[in-house]
mmCIF file with all atom_site columns, all heavy atoms in Angstrom:
data_model
loop_
_atom_site.group_PDB
_atom_site.id
_atom_site.type_symbol
_atom_site.label_atom_id
_atom_site.label_alt_id
_atom_site.label_comp_id
_atom_site.label_asym_id
_atom_site.label_entity_id
_atom_site.label_seq_id
_atom_site.pdbx_PDB_ins_code
_atom_site.Cartn_x
_atom_site.Cartn_y
_atom_site.Cartn_z
_atom_site.occupancy
_atom_site.B_iso_or_equiv
_atom_site.pdbx_formal_charge
_atom_site.auth_seq_id
_atom_site.auth_comp_id
_atom_site.auth_asym_id
_atom_site.auth_atom_id
_atom_site.pdbx_PDB_model_num
ATOM 1   N N   . CYS J 1 38 ? 59.948 116.779 66.869 1.00 0.00 ? 40 CYS J N   1
ATOM 2   C CA  . CYS J 1 38 ? 59.125 115.591 67.111 1.00 0.00 ? 40 CYS J CA  1
ATOM 3   C C   . CYS J 1 38 ? 59.957 114.415 67.613 1.00 0.00 ? 40 CYS J C   1
ATOM 4   O O   . CYS J 1 38 ? 59.506 113.645 68.463 1.00 0.00 ? 40 CYS J O   1
ATOM 5   C CB  . CYS J 1 38 ? 58.376 115.201 65.838 1.00 0.00 ? 40 CYS J CB  1
ATOM 6   S SG  . CYS J 1 38 ? 57.246 116.483 65.257 1.00 0.00 ? 40 CYS J SG  1
ATOM 7   N N   . GLN J 1 39 ? 61.177 114.264 67.098 1.00 0.00 ? 41 GLN J N   1
ATOM 8   C CA  . GLN J 1 39 ? 62.045 113.163 67.499 1.00 0.00 ? 41 GLN J CA  1
ATOM 9   C C   . GLN J 1 39 ? 62.960 113.510 68.670 1.00 0.00 ? 41 GLN J C   1
ATOM 10  O O   . GLN J 1 39 ? 63.544 112.622 69.283 1.00 0.00 ? 41 GLN J O   1
ATOM 11  C CB  . GLN J 1 39 ? 62.899 112.704 66.311 1.00 0.00 ? 41 GLN J CB  1
ATOM 12  C CG  . GLN J 1 39 ? 62.097 112.221 65.129 1.00 0.00 ? 41 GLN J CG  1
ATOM 13  C CD  . GLN J 1 39 ? 61.270 110.998 65.472 1.00 0.00 ? 41 GLN J CD  1
ATOM 14  O OE1 . GLN J 1 39 ? 61.733 110.088 66.143 1.00 0.00 ? 41 GLN J OE1 1
ATOM 15  N NE2 . GLN J 1 39 ? 60.024 110.984 65.019 1.00 0.00 ? 41 GLN J NE2 1
ATOM 16  N N   . GLY J 1 40 ? 63.098 114.815 68.932 1.00 0.00 ? 42 GLY J N   1
ATOM 17  C CA  . GLY J 1 40 ? 63.964 115.243 70.025 1.00 0.00 ? 42 GLY J CA  1
ATOM 18  C C   . GLY J 1 40 ? 65.431 115.066 69.746 1.00 0.00 ? 42 GLY J C   1
ATOM 19  O O   . GLY J 1 40 ? 66.226 114.912 70.667 1.00 0.00 ? 42 GLY J O   1
ATOM 20  N N   . MET J 1 41 ? 65.824 115.091 68.471 1.00 0.00 ? 43 MET J N   1
ATOM 21  C CA  . MET J 1 41 ? 67.224 114.898 68.107 1.00 0.00 ? 43 MET J CA  1
ATOM 22  C C   . MET J 1 41 ? 67.785 116.137 67.427 1.00 0.00 ? 43 MET J C   1
ATOM 23  O O   . MET J 1 41 ? 67.104 116.756 66.605 1.00 0.00 ? 43 MET J O   1
ATOM 24  C CB  . MET J 1 41 ? 67.372 113.699 67.168 1.00 0.00 ? 43 MET J CB  1
ATOM 25  C CG  . MET J 1 41 ? 66.897 112.380 67.769 1.00 0.00 ? 43 MET J CG  1
ATOM 26  S SD  . MET J 1 41 ? 67.736 111.961 69.316 1.00 0.00 ? 43 MET J SD  1
ATOM 27  C CE  . MET J 1 41 ? 69.391 111.676 68.710 1.00 0.00 ? 43 MET J CE  1
ATOM 28  N N   . GLY J 1 42 ? 69.034 116.454 67.761 1.00 0.00 ? 44 GLY J N   1
ATOM 29  C CA  . GLY J 1 42 ? 69.662 117.621 67.180 1.00 0.00 ? 44 GLY J CA  1
ATOM 30  C C   . GLY J 1 42 ? 70.972 117.302 66.513 1.00 0.00 ? 44 GLY J C   1
ATOM 31  O O   . GLY J 1 42 ? 71.570 116.248 66.742 1.00 0.00 ? 44 GLY J O   1
ATOM 32  N N   . MET J 1 43 ? 71.417 118.232 65.658 1.00 0.00 ? 45 MET J N   1
ATOM 33  C CA  . MET J 1 43 ? 72.681 118.077 64.950 1.00 0.00 ? 45 MET J CA  1
ATOM 34  C C   . MET J 1 43 ? 73.392 119.426 64.947 1.00 0.00 ? 45 MET J C   1
ATOM 35  O O   . MET J 1 43 ? 72.785 120.451 64.617 1.00 0.00 ? 45 MET J O   1
ATOM 36  C CB  . MET J 1 43 ? 72.425 117.624 63.511 1.00 0.00 ? 45 MET J CB  1
ATOM 37  C CG  . MET J 1 43 ? 73.689 117.481 62.683 1.00 0.00 ? 45 MET J CG  1
ATOM 38  S SD  . MET J 1 43 ? 73.325 116.958 60.990 1.00 0.00 ? 45 MET J SD  1
ATOM 39  C CE  . MET J 1 43 ? 72.659 118.469 60.300 1.00 0.00 ? 45 MET J CE  1
ATOM 40  N N   . GLU J 1 44 ? 74.664 119.430 65.307 1.00 0.00 ? 46 GLU J N   1
ATOM 41  C CA  . GLU J 1 44 ? 75.423 120.671 65.312 1.00 0.00 ? 46 GLU J CA  1
ATOM 42  C C   . GLU J 1 44 ? 75.684 121.138 63.890 1.00 0.00 ? 46 GLU J C   1
ATOM 43  O O   . GLU J 1 44 ? 76.099 120.366 63.037 1.00 0.00 ? 46 GLU J O   1
ATOM 44  C CB  . GLU J 1 44 ? 76.742 120.476 66.045 1.00 0.00 ? 46 GLU J CB  1
ATOM 45  C CG  . GLU J 1 44 ? 77.542 121.753 66.149 1.00 0.00 ? 46 GLU J CG  1
ATOM 46  C CD  . GLU J 1 44 ? 78.816 121.603 66.964 1.00 0.00 ? 46 GLU J CD  1
ATOM 47  O OE1 . GLU J 1 44 ? 78.785 120.915 67.999 1.00 0.00 ? 46 GLU J OE1 1
ATOM 48  O OE2 . GLU J 1 44 ? 79.838 122.186 66.543 1.00 0.00 ? 46 GLU J OE2 1
ATOM 49  N N   . LEU J 1 45 ? 75.418 122.438 63.639 1.00 0.00 ? 47 LEU J N   1
ATOM 50  C CA  . LEU J 1 45 ? 75.709 123.038 62.338 1.00 0.00 ? 47 LEU J CA  1
ATOM 51  C C   . LEU J 1 45 ? 77.055 123.742 62.335 1.00 0.00 ? 47 LEU J C   1
ATOM 52  O O   . LEU J 1 45 ? 77.695 123.846 61.299 1.00 0.00 ? 47 LEU J O   1
ATOM 53  C CB  . LEU J 1 45 ? 74.614 124.035 61.949 1.00 0.00 ? 47 LEU J CB  1
ATOM 54  C CG  . LEU J 1 45 ? 73.213 123.455 61.790 1.00 0.00 ? 47 LEU J CG  1
ATOM 55  C CD1 . LEU J 1 45 ? 72.202 124.557 61.549 1.00 0.00 ? 47 LEU J CD1 1
ATOM 56  C CD2 . LEU J 1 45 ? 73.185 122.436 60.664 1.00 0.00 ? 47 LEU J CD2 1
ATOM 57  N N   . GLY J 1 46 ? 77.465 124.257 63.493 1.00 0.00 ? 48 GLY J N   1
ATOM 58  C CA  . GLY J 1 46 ? 78.760 124.914 63.595 1.00 0.00 ? 48 GLY J CA  1
ATOM 59  C C   . GLY J 1 46 ? 78.714 126.121 64.494 1.00 0.00 ? 48 GLY J C   1
ATOM 60  O O   . GLY J 1 46 ? 77.648 126.651 64.797 1.00 0.00 ? 48 GLY J O   1
ATOM 61  N N   . PRO J 1 47 ? 79.895 126.580 64.917 1.00 0.00 ? 49 PRO J N   1
ATOM 62  C CA  . PRO J 1 47 ? 79.976 127.754 65.784 1.00 0.00 ? 49 PRO J CA  1
ATOM 63  C C   . PRO J 1 47 ? 79.681 129.042 65.016 1.00 0.00 ? 49 PRO J C   1
ATOM 64  O O   . PRO J 1 47 ? 80.046 129.173 63.854 1.00 0.00 ? 49 PRO J O   1
ATOM 65  C CB  . PRO J 1 47 ? 81.418 127.732 66.286 1.00 0.00 ? 49 PRO J CB  1
ATOM 66  C CG  . PRO J 1 47 ? 82.167 126.956 65.261 1.00 0.00 ? 49 PRO J CG  1
ATOM 67  C CD  . PRO J 1 47 ? 81.199 125.973 64.660 1.00 0.00 ? 49 PRO J CD  1
ATOM 68  N N   . THR J 1 48 ? 79.015 129.982 65.696 1.00 0.00 ? 50 THR J N   1
ATOM 69  C CA  . THR J 1 48 ? 78.692 131.268 65.071 1.00 0.00 ? 50 THR J CA  1
ATOM 70  C C   . THR J 1 48 ? 79.757 132.317 65.342 1.00 0.00 ? 50 THR J C   1
ATOM 71  O O   . THR J 1 48 ? 79.858 133.291 64.604 1.00 0.00 ? 50 THR J O   1
ATOM 72  C CB  . THR J 1 48 ? 77.343 131.805 65.593 1.00 0.00 ? 50 THR J CB  1
ATOM 73  O OG1 . THR J 1 48 ? 77.453 132.046 67.001 1.00 0.00 ? 50 THR J OG1 1
ATOM 74  C CG2 . THR J 1 48 ? 76.212 130.848 65.302 1.00 0.00 ? 50 THR J CG2 1
ATOM 75  N N   . GLY J 1 49 ? 80.504 132.134 66.422 1.00 0.00 ? 51 GLY J N   1
ATOM 76  C CA  . GLY J 1 49 ? 81.488 133.143 66.798 1.00 0.00 ? 51 GLY J CA  1
ATOM 77  C C   . GLY J 1 49 ? 80.850 134.338 67.475 1.00 0.00 ? 51 GLY J C   1
ATOM 78  O O   . GLY J 1 49 ? 81.508 135.361 67.676 1.00 0.00 ? 51 GLY J O   1
ATOM 79  N N   . VAL J 1 50 ? 79.566 134.247 67.834 1.00 0.00 ? 52 VAL J N   1
ATOM 80  C CA  . VAL J 1 50 ? 78.849 135.369 68.442 1.00 0.00 ? 52 VAL J CA  1
ATOM 81  C C   . VAL J 1 50 ? 78.527 135.038 69.894 1.00 0.00 ? 52 VAL J C   1
ATOM 82  O O   . VAL J 1 50 ? 77.737 134.141 70.167 1.00 0.00 ? 52 VAL J O   1
ATOM 83  C CB  . VAL J 1 50 ? 77.536 135.667 67.693 1.00 0.00 ? 52 VAL J CB  1
ATOM 84  C CG1 . VAL J 1 50 ? 76.791 136.817 68.364 1.00 0.00 ? 52 VAL J CG1 1
ATOM 85  C CG2 . VAL J 1 50 ? 77.812 135.996 66.228 1.00 0.00 ? 52 VAL J CG2 1
ATOM 86  N N   . SER J 1 51 ? 79.154 135.751 70.812 1.00 0.00 ? 53 SER J N   1
ATOM 87  C CA  . SER J 1 51 ? 78.764 135.608 72.212 1.00 0.00 ? 53 SER J CA  1
ATOM 88  C C   . SER J 1 51 ? 77.772 136.720 72.519 1.00 0.00 ? 53 SER J C   1
ATOM 89  O O   . SER J 1 51 ? 77.867 137.811 71.979 1.00 0.00 ? 53 SER J O   1
ATOM 90  C CB  . SER J 1 51 ? 79.978 135.693 73.132 1.00 0.00 ? 53 SER J CB  1
ATOM 91  O OG  . SER J 1 51 ? 80.615 136.938 72.984 1.00 0.00 ? 53 SER J OG  1
ATOM 92  N N   . GLY J 1 52 ? 76.804 136.417 73.342 1.00 0.00 ? 54 GLY J N   1
ATOM 93  C CA  . GLY J 1 52 ? 75.778 137.409 73.648 1.00 0.00 ? 54 GLY J CA  1
ATOM 94  C C   . GLY J 1 52 ? 74.644 137.423 72.645 1.00 0.00 ? 54 GLY J C   1
ATOM 95  O O   . GLY J 1 52 ? 73.936 138.420 72.519 1.00 0.00 ? 54 GLY J O   1
ATOM 96  N N   . MET J 1 53 ? 74.459 136.303 71.909 1.00 0.00 ? 55 MET J N   1
ATOM 97  C CA  . MET J 1 53 ? 73.355 136.229 70.954 1.00 0.00 ? 55 MET J CA  1
ATOM 98  C C   . MET J 1 53 ? 72.035 136.228 71.717 1.00 0.00 ? 55 MET J C   1
ATOM 99  O O   . MET J 1 53 ? 71.874 135.531 72.706 1.00 0.00 ? 55 MET J O   1
ATOM 100 C CB  . MET J 1 53 ? 73.448 134.949 70.120 1.00 0.00 ? 55 MET J CB  1
ATOM 101 C CG  . MET J 1 53 ? 72.337 134.826 69.091 1.00 0.00 ? 55 MET J CG  1
ATOM 102 S SD  . MET J 1 53 ? 72.559 135.941 67.704 1.00 0.00 ? 55 MET J SD  1
ATOM 103 C CE  . MET J 1 53 ? 73.909 135.126 66.902 1.00 0.00 ? 55 MET J CE  1
#
Side-chain angles (χ1 to χ4, degrees):
C40 299
Q41 300 297 318
M43 300 303 293
M45 178 181 74
E46 183 176 320
L47 298 174
T50 63
V52 179
S53 60
M55 181 74 72

